[in-house]
Structure formats: structure tokens, C-alpha cells
Amino acid sequence: MRKNRNRVSVALIFVLWGILGIFFLLPETALAQDRIPACPPLGKTLKMIKPLREMNWANDTISVLVAFPATFRGTGRNEIVDNVFALTPLLERLRQVRAGFSEDTVRIVHIGDSHVRGHIYPRTAGALLAETFGAVSYTDMGVNGATCLTFTHPERIADIAALKPELLILSFGTNESHNRRYNTNLHYNQMDELVKLLRDSLPDVPIILTTPPGSYESFRQRKRRRTYAINPRTAIATETIHHYARNHNLVVWDMYEVVGGKRRACTNWTEAKLMRPDHVHYLPEGYILQGTLLYQALIKAYNDYVSR
């Protein structure tokens, strides 16, 4: 009996010894699983890997400094009046292109009179937009001496529609206001005829109406030297453009007011020596300033949009 008990005791000692040996030989990691970080919940993981561009979406503004020549006085706020948010689709497209979410080119078409026909004014704005956003196509179509009626021919409307613009900019008013028999109602109706034709072909495209930059009219009495006086009808034509835009939910960029309006626009241009001798057209530096101002107004509209 004693021998059997001794054998059992010895066996138990070996069993216990074996268990303790296995316990101490186990790797440390098997005894410390709590040190391994637990996987975060799926929802939390997705929230943390939010794209950087989306996180900074509200701050995706563009710095722009409005700089006039030192001689300019009494300038106005350089902004686009868009009370119905007509430019929202265009501004969203620009944001998508700038963020790299779209590779489609944003197409802008600018039509107008000799100020546009000279190319420098519209192409300055277009080049700056392309530099800022990348894929921007900016096409200008200008005609010397043009009024709104000049573009109301079917072939011209077809040419504009074929470009598939996402924004139309209409720059008229200088030649309308140079007619000493200028008539507000006639000017209003001519704008309406052009806009209706464009709307028929491009119903969803936003339209910006711009105002004239300002000009003089000339006088000559007998053999005396030709003299120049500020054209008083420019201010009336500008108000007619605003009136039409308000009645038809269109967008306006009032360049006349930006550069000084009735009080200072023409004086600012001449004192800065930016007008040609005819006192109607501008030197290249003048048109570059006009294009830069249009670009800056569009950027302000863009910044207001992305900040909303």
C-alpha cells in the first residue's frame, strides 16, 4: 500500500512539474494579448480617412488682390451681381476641375464689340482663369462697331451654340451709347432679342452682361481743333443693362462702376494714360487691366461660393 502511495505521489509531482514547465516555456506574446491595439470600429475608421481635399473644402478659396493704377480715384467694388445664383453650376465645375475631380474642360464664350475684337481684354481673363483652374477654354468673338443686333443672325447664334459654352459673357453698350439719338427702350429690346435667341439654343447656360468701360464723344466746330467730352449716355446705357438683367434674372458685371462710374471712370482712364487718341478704345495696358478686373470678379464669386 505504501509503495502504491509513493508511486502516486511521484507521478503527481512529475505531472505538476510538466505543467509548470509548459507554463514558463510559453512565448511572452501568448500571455500579453491585451498589449495588441484593438481594431477600431469600421465607422470610425472610414471617418478618419476622409479625403484631405474634402476636409478643406470650405477653405478652398483663392487669394486675389485688386490693384488699380495709382492715379485711379473713386473706384467701386469689383464684384459680379448674381442675385439668383445663376453662376452656381459654373462655379461648381471650376471647383471640380481645380480639385482634380473632373478632367472635362470648362468652356467660356465671350462675345461683344471692338473691345472684345481686340482680343487682349478677353484673353487676359481667359489666360488667368486657365492658370488658376487648369482646364478652362475661353473663346472670344468680337466685331468692330457691334451692337447686340449684330449677333442676332442665325449663323452667329449657331456658331456660338456649336462651342457648347458653360458660360456666356456679353459685352456691348459702347456703340449703342455713342448714338446721339440713343433710346433706352430700343437698347432694351435689342438686348432682349439677342438673349432670347441665345436662350433658345442654350437654355441652361448662365449669361453675364458687362457694362461699357467708359468713353468720350468728339466735337469739332468749324475749323477748330477736335475736342472731347465724356459721353453722358454711357451711364444711361449702363442702367439699361442693369434694368434688363434684373427683369430677366441675368448676371451683371458693372465694369463702368468698378473703374469709377459716372464721376471718375473716364477721368481715371485718361489720367492713367490708358486710352487711345480716339478716346473710345484703349491701349494694351488698359485692356489688360480690364481682363484682370473681370478675372478678379469671377474669383470673388468663386470664393463666395466655396465659402457658403
Side-chain angles (χ1 to χ4, degrees), residues 160-178:
I160 295 169
L163 295 171
K164 299 181 180 179
E166 295 171 75
L167 172 66
L168 277 171
I169 303 175
L170 277 57
S171 295
F172 299 96
T174 294
N175 293 306
E176 286 89 340
S177 65
H178 264 270

Side-chain angles (χ1 to χ4, degrees), residues 140-302:
D140 58 271
M141 302 172 66
V143 176
N144 290 336
T147 66
C148 290
L149 283 182
T150 306
F151 282 84
T152 57
H153 299 287
E155 59 273 13
R156 285 209 166 107
I157 298 296
D159 289 342
I160 295 169
L163 295 171
K164 299 181 180 179
E166 295 171 75
L167 172 66
L168 277 171
I169 303 175
L170 277 57
S171 295
F172 299 96
T174 294
N175 293 306
E176 286 89 340
S177 65
H178 264 270
N179 185 343
R180 289 191 169 90
R181 296 181 179 180
Y182 173 81
N183 182 284
T184 299
N185 292 330
L186 180 62
H187 184 192
Y188 187 100
N189 291 334
Q190 289 176 349
M191 281 191 287
D192 192 48
E193 185 174 349
L194 175 59
V195 170
K196 283 181 177 178
L197 289 172
L198 292 170
R199 282 278 182 251
D200 288 342
S201 298
L202 302 163
D204 300 319
V205 176
I207 295 175
I208 296 178
L209 301 180
T210 77
T211 65
S215 61
Y216 292 76
E217 57 182 349
S218 63
F219 300 90
R220 175 178 284 174
Q221 295 179 348
R222 298 180 181 178
K223 296 182 179 180
R224 293 182 181 180
R225 185 177 180 180
R226 185 176 296 276
T227 59
Y228 296 90
I230 294 173
N231 182 358
R233 294 176 296 278
T234 303
I236 302 171
T238 295
E239 181 51 42
T240 303
I241 292 170
H242 275 281
H243 185 205
Y244 183 82
R246 286 192 298 269
N247 289 346
H248 294 84
N249 294 326
L250 299 181
V251 184
V252 174
W253 179 55
D254 192 346
M255 177 169 34
Y256 188 59
E257 184 63 28
V258 171
V259 298
K262 186 176 181 180
R263 287 178 175 269
R264 287 290 308 181
C266 289
T267 305
N268 282 337
W269 289 121
T270 53
E271 288 183 355
K273 295 179 171 53
L274 294 175
M275 296 195 81
R276 291 191 179 277
D278 65 4
H279 289 71
V280 174
H281 299 95
Y282 294 80
L283 295 173
E285 295 81 3
Y287 284 125
I288 289 171
L289 176 58
Q290 292 176 21
T292 302
L293 290 172
L294 175 55
Y295 161 77
Q296 291 170 340
L298 287 167
I299 293 301
K300 185 180 185 305
Y302 175 83

